[in-house]
Amino acid sequence: DHNLPEVKEYLYKILVIGDLGTGKTSIIKRYVHNIFSMHYKSTIGVDFALKVLQWSPDTVVRLQLWDIAGQERFGNMTKVYYKEALGALVVYDVTRSSTFDGVTKWKNDLDQKVSLPEAWGGGSIPVVLMGNKDGCSNKSESEMIKYCEENGFVRWFETSAKENHNVDEAARYLVSKILEIEQRNQGRPRQNQNGVIHIDEDQQYTPNSCC
Amino acid sequence: MTDVNPAVSSTSKKVFWRRHTSSLPGGAKPVDSKTGATKIVIGAQYSYGETLNVVGSSSNHSSSSFETFENFEIDQSAQQAQLQSGTMEKLKGGVKPEIAELVQDPINSIKFIKFLRPKKTHLSETELTNYNTRLLRFNKFKDVLQSSNVDLAALRKLSWSGIPDELRPMAWQFLLGYLPCNSDRQVATLARKRKEYEDSVSQAYAKGVAGLDQAIWHQIHIDVPRTNPGTPLYQYETTQQCLERILYVWSIRHPASGYVQGINDLVTPFFQVFLAAYIDEDPEYYDPGNLPNEVLSVIEADSFWSLSKLLDGIQDNYTFAQPGIQRQIGKLKELINRIDSKLAAHLQAEGVEFIQFAFRWMNCLLMRELSLKNTIRMWDTYLAEGPDGFSEFHLYVCAAFLVKWSDKLRSMDFQEIMMFLQSLPTSHWDEKDIELLVSEAYMWKSLFHNAPNHLSRT
């Protein structure tokens, strides 16, 4: 058969940001290597990881994950690290409310320093909010949905890198959003739209019910 | 349950007895130290008859407790009775018998240091040569350190090529300017500085953890358990509590920078090196909970002051916007342009920016790239370089370090370079690799330092 479908490859730079000690590195290690440890060294500057997704039979997505140090002192470096990012995961620790306060700060920092390419119409990059660690969020799901709408997050996930809960799902959701934007703006419809849309919708959204 | 694990305690006893077999003169005896801080044991001066004469070199120090020991001749059974009568409870595994003296007057305690001949009976010619070389070096250091007025220039010159493990704690404290060169002032200065630190801790912790600045304390509290996570020493609660106090007190005393991540790494070489002075075991595997409290607080205080001295020299690495690091990264880039233009061009073509990898190199002084043991050896040279060691000389070390991987890096694309630079293959590195690195750095520094025109491209 000479009519093999053309495989499309996408390269996306994704930022992983949030306050110090919220589990950004743990999320990436879980997502990329499927491992977990209680004690990764603190990230200084930026760490880099790569994840390749066979998104659909004809679509491969390569994710460059930029794990960015969370301490405020490093904050003036973020502009350099954000350059050309197409999406972000903002992480907070559900057991430490101060890290949720940091979420707005990180989102504002993103909106000020990075935007989508002009070819895609510019504007904010899609951002997924992750409430990480095992523990109980004191926020209800409806509260969080409202929060995301008001603050420009595409969606909220309660995740646990330790229990391997919702990490793949959150990342996958973010990628689906970026792909969607790319398609929309490049005006070249995917040959097999099912690949994108259905995976997204099939993903069982599991609100945390530990409380 | 505070009982000592019987298995552990019997092992440590066995080890202890083996060290004190009949061929060894001297022993241990509880002594009230003059400071009143330590009521432990002071050991005897060991002289190994079958090894080369090491111990009995001249000392300008006089110490009443030492004189006690010179006359302290007891037979084996008396010694054993002494040790069994209660001293051992205080001297848990691995603690050196002469600890009281070590704590109070480290320089005068150099005489206690046992420079051991390799355990084998027959040494090959190479082994014998190595041993004699080390011994010669050891004695050179000893002469400098025990002088009534330590010649810092001479100490620097010697230390540049590495300090013998046994003498590193004292040598570092001189090089840092913590221990006064004048021997008359050493004991009093140490006592005063240690008290000052203890007072700072008491003051800060007067209302317990709840009374601390929560924002600062929290960051430290999160980072301490993930400091050197692969090394047992840093997993012990005692260690973690020490580090937490050191970092907290340092942070509140330096509000312009406060606690910055990475400083937790920088304190560990001091803690480990100073701990090693008091024990006969590998510090990386040692539980400092075994130490008498007085000893632990001295290690903690000395580590605090040493960290303070180190950070004094690189303070603008950690203040707002970290200008010191920014400047260093800029200089590193210029240096690489000059010494390895092909690499510089390749990095640029691939879109790799120096800040993406070198930020960590500057912020943690390459401690994330090298093992603790290698870092400690490298700091011998940094400290010997003088006040600029951790800033200027470090810059040249970073340059030498980067061009070491030039061939590999030039065959890689952006992603490969980024991945490679964050997990460099240095786990097998030993002293020789560090010595080569600092020699190369020295060469680059001689070529380019104070010759800014060499740096800019014409």
Side-chain angles (χ1 to χ4, degrees), chain B residues 238-447:
Chain B
T238 310
T239 310
Q240 297 189 353
Q241 285 170 349
C242 278
L243 298 187
E244 209 168 287
R245 283 188 296 265
I246 294 170
L247 294 169
Y248 184 79
V249 172
W250 187 87
S251 302
I252 55 169
R253 287 171 72 125
H254 297 84
S257 62
Y259 172 69
V260 177
Q261 293 190 302
I263 295 180
N264 58 323
D265 291 327
L266 302 185
V267 69
T268 58
F270 294 124
F271 187 78
Q272 190 166 322
V273 164
F274 298 158
L275 166 65
Y278 304 105
I279 58 172
D280 285 328
E281 294 177 10
D282 182 348
E284 292 199 356
Y285 294 88
Y286 189 78
D287 177 2
N290 286 327
L291 291 170
N293 283 337
E294 296 86 346
V295 179
L296 193 63
S297 59
V298 157
I299 296 171
E300 186 178 320
D302 293 349
S303 302
F304 169 82
W305 289 113
S306 299
L307 175 72
S308 301
K309 292 277 187 189
L310 164 69
L311 291 173
D312 282 350
I314 51 172
Q315 210 180 348
D316 63 353
N317 279 7
Y318 305 104
T319 50
F320 176 75
Q322 304 187 266
I325 293 185
Q326 303 285 356
R327 200 170 51 239
Q328 296 266 80
I329 291 174
K331 281 188 191 170
L332 178 64
K333 196 176 168 186
E334 284 177 44
L335 258 180
I336 299 301
N337 268 332
R338 290 298 297 171
I339 67 185
D340 191 343
S341 57
K342 278 185 186 165
L343 176 61
H346 181 70
L347 292 177
Q348 189 164 7
E350 288 298 323
V352 176
E353 296 190 45
F354 277 66
I355 198 166
Q356 289 161 352
F357 60 91
F359 182 82
R360 186 175 52 241
W361 293 10
M362 302 305 173
N363 193 78
C364 302
L365 297 174
L366 284 177
M367 283 189 69
R368 294 295 179 91
E369 281 65 38
L370 302 169
S371 70
L372 252 172
K373 281 195 179 73
N374 287 334
T375 299
I376 288 169
R377 167 61 193 87
M378 195 154 86
W379 284 19
D380 290 346
T381 303
Y382 280 19
L383 288 164
E385 275 284 317
D388 289 344
F390 291 91
S391 49
E392 284 305 313
F393 188 70
H394 177 67
L395 170 67
Y396 291 94
V397 170
C398 288
F401 191 64
L402 183 59
V403 300
K404 220 167 245 305
W405 320 103
S406 184
D407 287 349
K408 280 210 175 76
L409 290 168
R410 280 188 285 122
S411 69
M412 294 175 171
D413 67 12
F414 174 84
Q415 286 173 3
E416 290 165 330
I417 292 170
M418 292 297 289
M419 308 282 269
F420 182 73
L421 285 175
Q422 70 191 26
S423 55
L424 288 162
T426 57
S427 57
H428 66 282
W429 273 32
D430 62 17
E431 226 169 283
K432 291 272 167 285
D433 297 285
I434 298 299
E435 273 155 23
L436 186 60
L437 182 68
V438 293
S439 311
E440 287 161 351
Y442 182 80
M443 182 188 73
W444 295 125
K445 188 183 169 196
S446 315
L447 274 173

Side-chain angles (χ1 to χ4, degrees), chain B residues 148-309:
Chain B
S148 58
N149 203 349
V150 171
D151 180 351
L152 269 187
L155 182 59
R156 287 208 180 105
K157 206 174 161 204
L158 273 177
S159 300
W160 208 94
S161 324
I163 303 170
D165 290 342
E166 301 86 345
L167 298 172
R168 184 174 283 120
M170 303 84 168
W172 276 20
Q173 291 184 6
F174 280 123
L175 293 169
L176 283 159
Y178 175 53
L179 203 54
C181 294
N182 181 336
S183 67
D184 292 338
R185 292 175 47 218
Q186 287 162 359
V187 171
T189 303
L190 279 183
R192 181 171 50 81
K193 296 302 266 183
R194 288 162 176 176
K195 170 112 186 9
E196 191 186 329
Y197 171 72
E198 256 179 62
D199 289 347
S200 296
V201 173
S202 312
Q203 209 181 341
Y205 282 76
K207 291 174 186 157
V209 167
L212 305 177
D213 178 316
Q214 292 300 300
I216 298 176
W217 178 76
H218 240 109
Q219 300 189 344
I220 294 170
H221 189 65
I222 289 172
D223 277 359
V224 164
R226 47 181 185 163
T227 303
N228 300 332
T231 309
L233 170 62
Y234 300 95
Q235 307 317 304
Y236 290 112
E237 204 186 338
T238 310
T239 310
Q240 297 189 353
Q241 285 170 349
C242 278
L243 298 187
E244 209 168 287
R245 283 188 296 265
I246 294 170
L247 294 169
Y248 184 79
V249 172
W250 187 87
S251 302
I252 55 169
R253 287 171 72 125
H254 297 84
S257 62
Y259 172 69
V260 177
Q261 293 190 302
I263 295 180
N264 58 323
D265 291 327
L266 302 185
V267 69
T268 58
F270 294 124
F271 187 78
Q272 190 166 322
V273 164
F274 298 158
L275 166 65
Y278 304 105
I279 58 172
D280 285 328
E281 294 177 10
D282 182 348
E284 292 199 356
Y285 294 88
Y286 189 78
D287 177 2
N290 286 327
L291 291 170
N293 283 337
E294 296 86 346
V295 179
L296 193 63
S297 59
V298 157
I299 296 171
E300 186 178 320
D302 293 349
S303 302
F304 169 82
W305 289 113
S306 299
L307 175 72
S308 301
K309 292 277 187 189

Side-chain angles (χ1 to χ4, degrees), chain B residues 82-184:
Chain B
Q82 181 78 62
L83 287 162
Q84 280 165 345
S85 70
T87 319
M88 277 301 289
E89 276 79 10
K90 287 182 176 170
L91 255 195
K92 282 198 218 159
V95 181
K96 286 183 180 171
E98 54 276 7
I99 195 146
E101 183 74 0
L102 274 169
V103 163
Q104 193 197 351
D105 189 352
I107 300 308
N108 191 41
S109 308
I110 288 175
K111 62 182 180 243
F112 295 128
I113 292 170
K114 294 156 274 181
F115 191 86
L116 293 179
R117 188 190 158 95
K119 286 198 178 93
K120 288 158 71 181
T121 21
H122 294 290
L123 297 181
S124 74
E125 209 157 305
T126 330
E127 285 168 326
L128 198 63
T129 313
N130 285 343
Y131 171 72
N132 281 328
T133 312
R134 280 185 56 226
L135 183 65
L136 200 66
R137 226 179 131 60
F138 179 85
N139 283 330
K140 275 188 189 166
F141 268 94
K142 212 167 65 157
D143 288 344
V144 172
L145 295 175
Q146 287 179 325
S147 152
S148 58
N149 203 349
V150 171
D151 180 351
L152 269 187
L155 182 59
R156 287 208 180 105
K157 206 174 161 204
L158 273 177
S159 300
W160 208 94
S161 324
I163 303 170
D165 290 342
E166 301 86 345
L167 298 172
R168 184 174 283 120
M170 303 84 168
W172 276 20
Q173 291 184 6
F174 280 123
L175 293 169
L176 283 159
Y178 175 53
L179 203 54
C181 294
N182 181 336
S183 67
D184 292 338

